[in-house]
Amino acid sequence: MTKLIYAFDEGQKSMKDLLGGKGANLSEMKRLGLPVPDGFTITTEACIDYLKQGEHLSDEVKSQLHDHLTAFSNRTGKSFSSQDHLLLVSVRSGAKISMPGMMDTILNLGLNDENVEKLATKTDDARFAYDCYRRLLQMFGDVVYGVPMTHFDTYFEQYKKAHQYNSDADITAEGLKEICEQYKGIYLEHGHKPFPQDPLQQLEESIEAVFKSWDNDRARVYRDLNDIPHDIGTAVNIQEMVFGNSGERSGTGVAFTRNPVTGENQLFGEYLLNAQGEDVVAGIRTPKDIDTLKEQMPDVHQQFVNVTKQLETHYKDLQDIEFTIENGRLYLLQTRNGKRTARAAIKVAVDLVNEGLITKEEAVTQVDVKSIETLLHPNFKEEALKQATVISKMGLPASPGAATGKVVFSAEEAKVQAENGDSVILMRPETSPEDIEGMVASEAIVTTHGGMTSHAAVVARGMGKCCVTGCSDVEIDTVNKTVHYPNGDMLHEGDIISVDGSAGDLYLGEIETVSAEHSDEFEQFMQWSEEIARLQVRMNAETPQDIQAGYQFNAKGIGLVRTEHMFFGAERLVEMRRFILASNYDERVEALNKIKTYQIEDFEAIFKLSSGRPTIVRLLDPPLHEFLPSTEEDIAMVADQLNVSTAHLKRRINDLNEVNPMLGHRGCRLAITYPELYEMQVEAIMTSVFNLKKEGITSQPEIMIPLVSTVEEFTTLKSQLVSTIQDLENDMKDKVHYLIGTMIETPRACLIADQLAQQCDFFSFGTNDLTQLTYGFSRDDAGKFINVYTESNILQLDPFQTLDHDGVGQLIEIAVTNAKRVNSSIKIGVCGELGGDAKSIRRFNQLDIDYVSCSPFRVPGAILATAQSQAEESER
Ligand code: PEP
Ligand code: MG
């Protein structure tokens, strides 16, 4: 018999796969002797099994559930039917990887028409008892019977209005009783069945609903976004209720052991007195700062502070802790590693190392690669901010960033407008898990309710998205699609605003931005990452701005200069076209000589910025037709520029037209047919190197021949280029060091890597073309079907974004092993998109590859990924 349920004292933190994060940590807290209400966890295996079998809870789960309830009663004396020791429980989901707010929760389960009276008598507080009951009716109706929450909310609000109550707390016990009765009517009308009075039936149906919620749309979207597998299921935690809503000496809250926005080492939290469970997270009431608890309940505050320190030291990471106070007694309901901004992640990791709590290797694995990329985003320009019209400065800086976009008022609208290519800012009174796709589509999220731990804040921080919450001085009217703001003005849908997530401020219109500045902790963290990493990181860049950015991020050189990017300036394009359309060698050389002058200038700038760091220049690669005009208008203009007839130009364009240009006359094939092309480029490269040498600047040119698939292609071109360089050296009466290597982009090149390695100084894997040619998927057209492939699990991941281990990865492995066997000093890198992808880097780190190369803004993420890969390798 498989054990499908574990009491909290049977588990521990290492059992996350089986008990989910919440269950494993509740068990761990119990083991540490912390005040955790009693309970048990139904395993993820039971969930996976249920989702496979469908329909009903298995007899096995039911029987083990029965045993655990009996054991629970024996331990505590409490049961669903006891007169004096009534048992009420919460039912909460908890997957291995936390998915805040994505799945469902039910509180106060066990109440029915009879038990609510028992609770009222026992607590001598009928108002409290009926408040619990109406909450159960709402949650159970929504989660288990699919009765939309709005039906309950609408009635609740109408009731308050009719009785002129301002807040929920004003409703009397009698009133709540009446509301409960009306809610039961809503069940019949919209759920088509009554609320079940049998607590065991409530429990079994709730467990099923939580299992099912694993597959709801928002959970699926969240998993896709966060690369969480769809087949690991959720555990379900059944826990005795403690009541934060049982009076003014009770409350509920959420706290982080350090500030999750800045990383500052200071307890950071919020709570509400006389409130239950989700009130804080849902952002319906604006909570109080945890420091205020010191005045209201000093003992509880001190106990809580001690517990948070103990948990952080135990878990060696920032903890996100949920707690409830019942009549002055503290209970812990959850602890988990807290979600944090990238800035906080870096600061916390560096501080924890400095405090001696973790090693540098542990520190690098604590920070998410994706989140580090958000740190590189720009901020608003100080002076521009001073000039800008303020909409509000009352908001909370929930998640940093500087975003500008059109105001929208619903998640659906955000999605539609974003799909149309607009940048949008989603403004809502508060967000709920249903809004997840709209939040993804938005540049920033603004809410008027809720605090720093509200749904909007937590989810936005997790996404690295700019967010301002609790912006209480603006009033959002989602029906009329307007926002009233303090100076009396109004915003309408489509108006442009700017959101400063680091300050919590909103401004009218667009504001200029500046690039991010880095903290000392960031520098320190990146330095540790480099110390730990084995693979080096270079950049793919050719413009001065990009090269400067990449070197600021500590790239170790340039892994790919795409020379074709230098041919698109207006004057160069004319000469390039002259070269392509020339009818004989002399005409071609004449055009190339003009281009050479430009190329020398470009290369000088590049090598100067590289100042001695290795720099790979790839010789011309794309099919030539990419440089030719296509519209009638452009053809007429070019014919005029080149002094040829339009008819002649059209004929030449037609001659150059290819059925499969990506498989056609491109890469090294261009130079096999027109050797003068690469000769010109190499002359330009080496001339610039000699010129700089005269200025005392050294260069490390690495000349790369693209798209080779036979050794003869490479040797033919190499001997031509070496002889060109020798001629130049003779003219200059000087020598410089250079390397000549190839790009490995075709499956055949991988398979003959040993032969190529005997001729090459270096290899660089062009994984974009290699993936295209291995799968036979056009890299330009795959967008039309890859999504369908990944959605239907035909492919797990897009192979153009993450390395396909079995196919492309295997070809790379064969090539690397065979190449290093015959030429142990050959330098090997990866310069396709995969060079900047963290998951792919994990695999590259296991192969005998020397460096990866990616676009400048991906360099810090790639450095971190290389460090993480190495730290994980050394762990094994
Ligand atoms: C590649 O093919 O991976 C590559 C880097 O070259 P390009 O993208 O320019 O074809
Ligand atoms: Mg390529």
Side-chain angles (χ1 to χ4, degrees), residues 540 560 562 564-565 618 621 662 666 707 743-745 765-770 779 831-833:
N540 297 348
L560 178 62
R562 288 179 163 106
E564 62 271 18
H565 289 184
R618 177 180 71 187
D621 178 58
M662 286 304 264
R666 60 170 287 219
L707 214 70
M743 236 175 148
I744 304 282
E745 300 180 274
F765 286 95
T767 52
N768 304 334
D769 276 308
L770 185 57
R779 57 192 269 194
C831 67
E833 268 311 294

Side-chain angles (χ1 to χ4, degrees), residues 542-561:
E542 46 281 322
T543 68
Q545 291 111 299
D546 279 0
I547 296 173
Q548 272 159 344
Y551 282 133
Q552 260 169 18
F553 296 139
N554 243 356
K556 288 292 173 282
I558 304 184
L560 178 62
V561 168

Side-chain angles (χ1 to χ4, degrees), residues 54-73:
E55 300 311 282
H56 299 291
L57 279 190
S58 68
D59 289 344
E60 199 47 57
V61 172
K62 284 189 185 169
S63 135
Q64 293 189 30
L65 184 62
H66 177 267
D67 293 347
H68 275 270
L69 285 171
T70 311
F72 191 91
S73 291

